[in-house]
Amino acid sequence: MRPIRAGIATAVAACAALGAAPSTSAAADPLPARMADTGGGRQLITAQAPRTSSTTGTVTWWDRGANGRWVKAGSAPARFGAKGLVAGSKRKQGTNTTPTGLYDLPFAFGVKAAPEGTRTTYRRVHRDSWWCQDNASRSYNRWTEPRPRDCRAAESERLADYATQYAHALVVGFNYYRPVHGRGAGIFLHVNGRGATAGCVSVPKDAMRRILTWAHPERSPHIAIGTAGGATAITRY
């Protein structure tokens, strides 16, 4: 599945006729119902920060029922990049920013075994499991095992070295299918470390485990990352 192109938010103004019953405010609708696109599936994760300079916010996961309405399944405090957030199309590697946009979730992985009930494809991290972030490598922004010769260790992550953060993780489909070298690699939804991330989104360990047992591939889960307003407003995606 390809990453979803960022949409353009549409503002809708409604005027109530004199004497008519008051209409429900659009702000009262669940967040996914106010978004331009949710990926077309029946599950969605929203990772929302107050503004682009924020390093914290909220991750919420949602289910869309048979009646088309979105219902919150859970939420948790989230952490973002140490330098905040930036539009995915403008992101540069090494800037410690989290890319905004709407993306799919190709697969999950972890240093620890998948939580019982996990249905998403789950790869167990081994000693020679790497995520290649070397711009000169043909394996750029890919899981490699072992690390290929053209992928320098200094420019990549040995996943087992991050036993806390990568105890459990979901790959975010940012720059994944047709990677643009220099835009960024290794963007995940993973377990919290000590503070802000290098560009990923992180949540407490219990929340990450709950998300993994909630996600169902047949319901096409996606993740939307954005801010409360402005050019990177989550409702634009």
Side-chain angles (χ1 to χ4, degrees), residues 21-122:
S23 60
T24 302
S25 170
D29 290 337
L31 180 56
R34 291 181 274 126
M35 293 174 58
D37 194 354
T38 57
R42 290 183 290 151
Q43 289 188 322
L44 179 71
I45 300 170
T46 55
Q48 187 178 41
R51 57 192 66 86
T52 54
S53 60
S54 301
T55 60
T56 60
T58 304
V59 159
T60 307
W61 47 107
W62 309 81
D63 289 301
R64 190 177 68 173
N67 61 0
R69 293 189 61 82
W70 288 96
V71 178
K72 183 170 73 172
S75 66
R79 294 174 181 170
F80 298 96
K83 297 295 184 180
L85 301 87
V86 68
S89 60
K90 298 180 180 179
R91 187 179 188 272
K92 294 183 179 179
Q93 186 163 324
T95 55
N96 290 340
T97 53
T98 298
T100 64
L102 179 64
Y103 308 101
D104 72 346
L105 301 161
F107 63 91
F109 68 89
V111 173
K112 294 188 176 181
E116 185 176 355
T118 299
R119 287 158 290 199
T120 300
T121 299
Y122 192 95

